[in-house]
Amino acid sequence: MYDYTAFDAAFVRDRVAQFRDQVERRISGALTEDEFKPLRLMNGLYLQLHAYMLRVAIPYGTLNGAQMRQLAMIADRWDRGYGHFTTRQNIQFNWPKLRDVPDMLDALADVEMHAIQTSGNCIRNVTTDQFAGAAADEIADPRPVAELIRQWSTDHPEFTWLPRKFKIAITGSPHDRAVTRAHDIGLRMLRNAAGEEGFEVLVGGGLGRTPMLGKVVRDFLPRADLLPYLEAILQTYNLLGRRDNKYKARIKILVHETGIETLRAMIEDAFAENRRSFAPVDPALLERLEAAFAPPDFEPPAAVPQFLSPALRSFMDTNLHPHRLGHYASVTVSLKPVGGAPGDATSDQMRLLADLAETYAHDELRVSHEQNIILPHVPRRHLPSLFARLQAAGLATANVGLVSDIIACPGMDYCALATARSIPVAQRIARAFEDIDRQHDIGALKIKISGCINACGHHHVGHIGILGLEKAGVESYQITLGGDGTETAAIGERAGPGFSWDEIVPAVERLIGAYLDLRHGRAESFLEVYRRLGAAPFKAALYPEAAERRAHAG
Amino acid sequence: MTKAPHPQIVTANHLLDGDVIYLTEALDWTRQITAAAVAHDALRAHTLLDEAQSRPHEAVGPYLAPVTLDPQGRAAPLHFRELYRTTGPTFLRDEAPHV
Ligand code: SF4
C-alpha cells in the first residue's frame, strides 16, 4: 500500500477544510450554484436524479481492510448502508446530504482516501489491472507507475482545466484487463529486445458518443522517460484539443482530426524539450514507491485440503485467477448476485470483505472495472474456509466472466444524464439465466450495459453491448455485437433497430440461443463464434421477421 | 396568450438534501408531485419558474416539466424520467429487495 507522506496528508486535509468552507458559503447564500458547482465537482460531489452523489477515488483500485471498513462506516453513518463500485474502480455513495459531505471527506482522509479529481476536466484516477502485483502473467506491478502518475497529475497547475476529462489506464500484463485501448492514454508494460522495461503508449481511445480504440503513438518508451512523455502528450492536447464543442473535446477527436503521424511528431518535439528541462524523478521517491507496493510476506507452500466440495470447485472454475505463486490464487468476489444491482455492496458485505482480506489475504483488496471485489493474494489452503464465509454471507456467486457477471452503469435509477435504465435490465437478464449450470455451459460472455451514450457501462466493448436510449417517449435498447475490451480490443457493431423494455431480455436470450446452436462445442466462446461467422446469424436471431422477409424476397 | 401543449410544473432538487421537490401554489416546496402548482399556460409556467429561480438557496436547477393530470386535476408525471424521479430507484421497488 502507498502510505501518505506528511505532504499528502496535509494536502488532503486542506482540501477538506477548503470544501467545508465552500459548502457553508453555498448554504449561507454567499456562493451561487453556478459558482459552487465546479467546486463541488472538483471534490467528487455530483447532483443526481434523486440526491447528491459522492464519488470517492480508489487509486488504481487498491485498498486495505481498514479503508474498506471505513467505507462501510461512511455508508452507514451518512448514506443508506450501501455503496456502488464503478467501472472506474471507484466507489459512489448515492444519498449524501450536502452538509454531511465535508465530514464524509474528513472520514475518508482518516484512512488516506479522498474524492479529488474524480470529476472535472482534469486527469482522473489512474486505473489498472485488478490483479496487479499478483497475476502470473505480469511483467511488473503497474501500481508504482500508477502512483507516480497520480502524484504528477494531482493538482497539476497546467492540467487542471483541460479541454475535457482525461483518463489513463495502465497494464503490467500482456493480457489487458484494464481496457487500455479505451482510454485517452493507455500504457502497456513490455520489455524491449535488450530486456529493459518500458511501455507501449496508446493514445486517443475512448468510448462515449464517438467510440475509438487508442492508437500506438510510441512502440517503446523507456520507463525513465514516462513523465516527460506523458507531459508532452498532455501539453499537445491542452494546446490543440477543441474547447468549442464538448463532444469534440476528447483527445480521441484530436487524434482523429490531426492524424496520429502529425500528432506523434508534435508530441516527440515537446518530449525532446521536456526531456531537457524535466528534473529526473528522485530515485529515493521511486524506491519508496516500489517499496510501497512490494509483495506481502508470502507464506511458504502448504498442503491444500484434499476434499473440495462441488460448490467450491464450481466457484474455483470461475472466480479464481492464477497467481504468480502456485500455492496462491487471486479470488474475485462477485458483486453480481442474481437480483442484485451490479457493483453494489452493503456495509455488512464491505465489513466482511475487510475481515476476509485481513484474515486470509494479506490485508489487500481490489476493485475491478468489472465492478467486482478481488482478494489478490489468497493462499490456496484458505480457499475452503474463505468460500464458506462468502457463502454464509451470500457473496459466493460463481459467475465471474459469465452471462450474469454484467457491467451496468447506474442508468436512470440514479444518473441525471441517463436516457434509460440499466440496472434493472441487468437484473432481468441475470434472472433469465439464473441457473448457474446453464451459465457455466454458456461460458465466457461479457454483457455490458450503459444508460446513455456516455458509455460508462462500456457497452461498446461488451461481447453483447446494450445501450439504453429514449425513443418516442419510452426506453429503447440498442444492441451492439462483438465488442472486446482486452488485448484483442474491438468496438462492437450495431445490430439494428432498438428493442423495447419488454423485448430486450428475450432478444438477449435469442442471441445466446443462436450462439449455442452455432458453436463448435463448449470450447468455442460467444466472441469466437462471432469472429468466425460475423454478425449475420446473430442479426437473424435478433430480427427473425426481417430474416424471414428476406428469405421470401429471395 | 399561447397555450402550452401540456400543463407544466416546476421541479428541482433541494439544496441541502438533493431531494426531488416541486413548487406549490403557495410558492412553497413539496416532495409530492400531486401537490405541485400546475401551470396551464406558458405565462403562468414562466412566472412559476422565475419564482423558483429567484430562490437559488432552496432549490438547485429548477426547470419546467410537462405533466398530465389525474382525475382530481393534480399533476402526474408524463415522461418516464419524471416518473422515476417520483419513485426513486425503480429496481428497489420492482425487483428483488436490494439488501
Ligand atoms: S452511461 Fe450515462 S447513464 Fe450511465 S452512468 Fe454514465 S452518464 Fe450516467
Side-chain angles (χ1 to χ4, degrees):
Chain A
M1 285 298 295
Y2 175 77
D3 290 317
Y4 277 15
T5 59
F7 173 85
D8 297 325
F11 175 83
V12 169
R13 290 289 179 193
D14 283 354
R15 275 290 285 264
V16 177
Q18 206 179 52
F19 189 57
R20 190 179 289 283
D21 180 55
Q22 290 159 351
V23 167
E24 270 160 28
R25 285 191 287 147
R26 175 69 181 98
I27 292 172
S28 76
L31 285 179
T32 66
E33 184 61 18
D34 284 350
E35 290 163 335
F36 180 64
K37 187 175 173 185
L39 301 173
R40 69 168 156 79
L41 288 175
M42 280 180 152
N43 291 284
L45 187 65
Y46 287 72
L47 185 56
Q48 295 286 62
L49 271 190
H50 315 291
Y52 287 98
M53 178 270 279
L54 182 65
R55 181 181 292 157
V56 175
I58 301 177
Y60 26 89
T62 295
L63 70 172
N64 61 25
Q67 291 173 321
M68 185 66 108
R69 207 170 275 114
Q70 189 79 340
L71 294 176
M73 187 282 283
I74 289 171
D76 280 340
R77 179 147 178 212
W78 292 295
D79 208 274
R80 295 196 183 167
Y82 68 97
H84 175 74
F85 291 97
T86 76
T87 53
R88 300 269 316 135
Q89 299 181 299
N90 290 323
I91 184 170
Q92 296 181 172
F93 292 108
N94 290 311
W95 307 98
K97 308 268 184 252
L98 182 57
R99 268 189 213 287
D100 292 337
V101 173
D103 291 339
M104 295 170 84
L105 294 176
D106 258 331
L108 287 169
D110 290 344
V111 291
E112 306 195 338
M113 295 181 82
H114 60 77
I116 297 166
Q117 286 181 216
T118 60
S119 174
N121 295 335
C122 57
I123 301 174
R124 303 283 189 91
N125 188 24
V126 179
T127 52
T128 188
D129 183 355
Q130 67 271 26
F131 302 122
D137 58 9
E138 184 171 87
I139 294 168
D141 187 341
R143 291 173 305 157
V145 180
E147 173 56 27
L148 182 68
I149 297 172
R150 186 197 68 75
Q151 297 197 3
W152 160 76
S153 64
T154 299
D155 241 16
H156 192 304
E158 196 176 335
F159 305 142
T160 306
W161 302 102
L162 292 167
R164 202 76 178 87
K165 58 189 168 182
F166 202 92
K167 299 175 183 175
I168 303 176
I170 174 166
T171 171
S173 156
H175 294 109
D176 186 354
R177 290 174 287 262
V179 209
T180 57
R181 286 196 70 189
H183 286 76
D184 296 286
I185 293 179
L187 297 171
R188 292 182 177 178
M189 274 191 183
L190 39 82
R191 283 208 172 83
N192 66 5
E196 296 154 342
E197 267 179 32
F199 308 94
E200 178 185 55
V201 184
L202 304 155
V203 70
L207 301 176
R209 185 174 299 262
T210 324
M212 291 193 188
L213 295 177
K215 295 198 166 73
V216 178
V217 64
R218 208 17 143 98
D219 295 323
F220 185 81
L221 180 73
R223 210 171 152 148
D225 286 336
L226 182 67
L227 292 187
Y229 193 82
L230 289 181
E231 184 123 346
I233 298 178
L234 266 299
Q235 284 164 340
T236 310
Y237 168 58
N238 204 17
L239 210 63
L240 299 182
R242 290 180 58 168
R243 290 171 198 264
D244 60 324
N245 181 342
K246 169 174 164 184
Y247 302 119
K248 299 200 167 176
R250 296 290 289 267
I251 195 171
K252 62 187 174 187
I253 303 294
L254 181 65
V255 172
H256 185 70
E257 290 184 348
T258 312
I260 187 75
E261 302 301 331
T262 312
L263 208 62
R264 177 181 296 126
M266 299 171 86
I267 291 169
E268 288 294 335
D269 282 352
F271 170 56
E273 186 74 20
N274 288 347
R275 229 174 153 204
R276 275 194 296 276
S277 58
F278 239 71
V281 180
D282 176 7
L285 169 66
L286 289 182
E287 233 166 75
R288 203 169 80 78
L289 293 182
E290 289 295 337
F293 297 98
D297 218 354
F298 289 127
E299 61 176 49
V304 175
Q306 288 294 302
F307 175 75
L308 303 177
S309 68
L312 173 53
R313 272 186 277 127
S314 158
F315 178 83
M316 289 169 66
D317 277 350
T318 45
N319 296 38
L320 254 52
H321 190 266
H323 193 275
R324 60 192 199 171
L325 296 180
H327 60 293
Y328 271 76
S330 299
V331 175
T332 299
V333 178
S334 167
L335 295 183
K336 322 288 177 68
V338 170
D344 276 14
T346 66
S347 54
D348 284 344
Q349 290 173 331
M350 291 184 222
R351 272 185 289 269
L352 176 78
L353 288 165
D355 285 350
L356 296 179
E358 287 164 354
T359 312
Y360 300 112
H362 300 279
D363 196 19
E364 275 206 38
L365 293 147
R366 305 287 171 75
V367 182
S368 72
H369 83 268
E370 292 178 315
Q371 303 178 284
N372 292 315
I373 300 295
I374 284 86
L375 298 164
H377 307 296
V378 180
R380 283 180 176 263
R381 68 184 177 93
H382 288 319
L383 288 174
S385 7
L386 174 69
F387 180 66
R389 290 193 56 188
L390 288 172
Q391 242 183 341
L395 275 174
T397 315
N399 67 344
V400 172
L402 303 181
V403 50
S404 65
D405 183 11
I406 299 171
I407 289 185
C409 79
M412 206 183 272
D413 285 296
Y414 293 102
C415 179
L417 302 174
T419 41
R421 290 174 294 167
S422 36
I423 293 169
V425 176
Q427 289 174 323
R428 281 164 190 232
I429 294 171
R431 196 160 290 127
F433 294 93
E434 190 159 358
D435 178 8
I436 196 74
D437 292 331
R438 188 168 169 222
Q439 291 195 41
H440 281 248
D441 179 48
I442 294 165
L445 180 60
K446 293 192 189 294
I447 299 182
K448 303 182 197 272
I449 310 176
S450 305
C452 83
I453 194 75
N454 289 326
C456 302
H458 295 185
H459 63 278
H460 297 110
V461 292
H463 302 166
I464 299 176
I466 300 176
L467 165 63
L469 294 168
E470 177 190 341
K471 211 176 145 198
V474 293
E475 290 159 297
S476 171
Y477 294 91
Q478 207 173 74
I479 289 183
T480 47
L481 294 169
D484 176 3
T486 69
E487 63 280 4
T488 47
I491 300 288
E493 183 193 336
R494 229 186 100 181
F499 295 90
S500 71
W501 171 255
D502 290 325
E503 289 166 348
I504 182 65
V505 178
V508 171
E509 288 183 293
R510 289 201 297 284
L511 274 178
I512 292 172
Y515 154 66
L516 293 173
D517 289 343
L518 295 165
R519 72 180 178 184
H520 295 326
R522 281 175 76 157
E524 196 183 23
S525 70
F526 181 93
L527 189 62
E528 285 163 343
V529 172
Y530 180 85
R531 287 187 170 163
R532 175 164 60 84
L533 297 175
F538 294 102
K539 287 186 185 174
L542 278 178
Y543 307 102
E545 284 147 31
E548 218 167 87
R549 269 201 307 278
R550 268 200 304 278
H552 279 301
Chain B
M1 203 175 310
T2 53
K3 194 161 163 63
H6 284 283
Q8 290 178 299
I9 59 170
V10 171
T11 180
N13 289 86
H14 191 272
L15 173 68
L16 294 182
D17 55 26
D19 282 358
V20 174
I21 50 176
Y22 305 93
L23 192 65
T24 66
E25 288 291 351
L27 305 182
D28 266 336
W29 296 103
T30 173
R31 283 162 178 74
Q32 301 301 323
I33 191 170
T34 48
V38 178
H40 292 273
D41 59 62
L43 181 62
R44 176 77 180 136
H46 284 284
T47 309
L48 289 175
L49 185 60
D50 285 349
E51 174 64 29
Q53 282 168 342
S54 72
R55 293 151 69 174
H57 305 302
E58 297 168 8
V60 184
Y63 62 92
L64 290 168
V67 291
T68 58
L69 298 180
D70 70 9
Q72 288 82 47
R74 300 175 305 189
L78 183 66
H79 191 276
F80 61 89
R81 185 178 194 269
E82 291 306 321
L83 174 66
Y84 302 155
R85 285 179 81 239
T86 67
T87 61
T90 63
F91 64 93
L92 298 178
R93 216 168 24 107
D94 303 353
E95 309 288 328
H98 173 69
V99 176

